[in-house]
Structure formats: structure tokens, C-alpha cells
Amino acid sequence: MKISKRQKEIIEIVKRHQPITSERIADNLNVTRAALRPDLSILTMIGVLDAKPKVGYVFITDTPKSSLGKNVQEIKVREVMSKPVVVDEGTKVYDAIIQLFLNDSGTLFVHSNGYLVGAASRKDFLKIAIGGTDTHQVPVGIIMTRMPNIVIVKPEDDAYFAAQKIIEHEIDCLPVVETVIKDNRELYRIVGKISKTNITKLFVKLTQ
Ligand code: ADP
């Protein structure tokens, strides 16, 4: 978002005199308070200034967030996650592939005794299939990516943080987990998933 010359002047005044009321900013610029109102609204909306009631304006950052960025950072993973497809690690690769189709999903999460142990994606299954392995014999636990290499998020994490992880690790889908401490070990119960599709849907929703 481009900042106008007037808005830059306002930012400089606030930086120098904060906290400062809108009357005093208006005096400094030799304009009326009414003339200043739209610029102050924009600067607070994009997160450059904060308006503290009964105190005045204070400076926050020189790097404004777009309003879309601001919204994304307020939304939690639990609000955008969807139902995960989960199979037991003993499930044969053939049956796991059927689950992938039935649930119209690209990634399966794998559990053992109810706790996350791995993830298997379309390409993992393709590799096994073209390698000539008997998919009726081999369990998904053999071909999956294993813990502790699984990238996870928690329901209370920001959706923005989840999107960053998806990009950083070049993966399509993250399991959303809750931590359970058992025998002094940290285990994860799978409560949802967050995929590129969830993030794309959120993007469309926020821009409507
Ligand atoms: P694909 O390669 O099928 O398009 P991904 O890019 O998501 O799907 O998967 C790439 C690799 O990362 C696969 O080997 C898969 O097992 C693994 N993987 C999938 N999800 C995760 C995850 N959440 N954390 C770590 N690895 C994952």
C-alpha cells in the first residue's frame, strides 16, 4: 500500500510527539481535524499508527500490512482446518490408496494407537506403484514419511503461520494436532488438517 505525502508527514509528527491527539497533529499541519480524519483512519487500519482512547496516536511500524495480511494474522488454524484422512500404520498401501480416492484427498496421515506417526502423499504412493511393489502386502507404515520429520501445527496457531510452513517445507498439507503427554513423552493426537486448499479458500473469503 502506497503512503501519501500527507500521511508521511503525519507519521513523522506522531513519531516525534507521541502520544499525540488529532487536534495537535492538525495544528502542526495547519489543517482542520476533519481534513485529517481519512488519513488517520487509513494509517490506523493498515497498522502504522494506533489510536489509544483518551491518550492519542502512537507509532507502531513503518511497514504497513495490507488489510488482507492483517486479517489472515488474526485467523486461527482451528477456524480454517478440515477433516483429516487418517489410517492405521498397518493399513496396506492398496487400501490406503483407496482411502485417498474415496476421501478426495492428496495426503493421508498415519496413526498408531491413536497418535500421529507419519504422512503419505500422492507421490509416495506413485513411487511405490511404479516400483512394482505388491501394494496388497506392504503396509503404509513402511512407505510414509515418519515422525519426527512431520511438520505439524496446533489449532491455536495462526493460519498465516500454517501457510508459511506449507511454503517453507514445500508440502501440500499439515496435520493439526493436540499434544498429549504419555510416559514422559510428547505425543500428538490428530484433530484436523490444513492444506493448500484451506488456505486458498481463506484467501478467496477474505478478498470477497
Ligand atoms: P506430493 O509430493 O504428493 O505432491 P507433498 O508435496 O505434500 O505431496 O509431499 C512431499 C513429501 O513430503 C512426501 O514424501 C510426503 O510424505 C511428505 N509430507 C507430506 N506431508 C508432510 C508433512 N506435514 N510433514 C512432513 N512431510 C510431509
Side-chain angles (χ1 to χ4, degrees):
M1 175 150 193
K2 221 167 151 25
I3 305 245
S4 71
K5 188 166 166 281
R6 161 70 64 77
Q7 289 162 0
K8 279 186 189 148
E9 288 172 342
I10 296 172
I11 295 169
E12 286 314 310
I13 292 169
V14 176
K15 273 185 184 171
R16 253 181 286 130
H17 303 290
Q18 62 183 327
I20 179 168
T21 60
S22 56
E23 286 99 308
R24 281 185 54 217
I25 301 173
D27 284 347
N28 264 274
L29 288 169
N30 260 328
V31 295
T32 62
R33 262 179 79 196
L36 212 57
R37 207 167 289 134
D39 286 323
L40 286 173
S41 305
I42 289 172
L43 291 173
T44 45
M45 193 184 77
I46 63 175
V48 172
L49 300 183
D50 190 9
K52 293 192 184 292
K54 299 206 173 81
V55 178
Y57 287 87
V58 290
F59 174 73
I60 304 175
T61 174
D62 261 325
T63 339
K65 291 171 194 157
S66 68
S67 52
L68 176 65
K70 207 172 168 193
N71 282 329
V72 170
Q73 292 187 18
E74 282 160 9
I75 291 169
K76 300 294 172 199
V77 162
R78 80 158 59 76
E79 297 169 62
V80 286
M81 69 187 195
S82 51
K83 205 165 161 278
V85 186
V86 184
V87 296
D88 184 275
E89 67 174 342
T91 309
K92 297 292 185 279
V93 166
Y94 181 90
D95 296 315
I97 294 172
I98 301 283
Q99 287 304 315
L100 207 69
F101 276 100
L102 286 179
N103 292 283
D104 193 18
S105 179
T107 307
L108 295 182
F109 296 114
V110 184
H111 79 93
S112 172
N113 298 318
Y115 300 112
L116 175 68
V117 289
S121 76
R122 270 178 286 227
K123 254 181 251 156
D124 295 329
F125 290 119
L126 279 172
K127 261 189 260 163
I128 288 300
I130 62 172
T133 305
D134 185 352
T135 55
H136 290 278
Q137 297 298 325
V138 176
V140 73
I142 300 283
I143 68 141
M144 69 187 184
T145 301
R146 289 198 155 268
M147 285 294 278
N149 296 324
I150 303 299
V151 182
I152 54 164
V153 280
K154 308 276 173 71
E156 63 274 17
D157 286 333
D158 299 340
Y160 182 78
F161 173 73
Q164 280 180 317
K165 286 211 157 181
I166 285 175
I167 292 169
E168 183 189 335
H169 296 276
E170 297 181 357
I171 44 185
D172 292 346
C173 193
L174 308 175
V176 183
V177 300
E178 280 172 0
T179 308
V180 178
I181 304 289
K182 217 175 162 203
D183 303 329
N184 278 332
R185 276 202 314 151
E186 211 173 70
L187 299 171
Y188 298 116
R189 213 163 54 78
I190 309 160
V191 295
K193 71 166 182 187
I194 187 150
S195 66
K196 286 180 178 169
T197 308
N198 297 112
I199 301 292
T200 310
K201 280 185 182 161
L202 175 63
F203 177 81
V204 170
K205 199 173 132 199
L206 290 175
T207 43
Q208 271 166 355

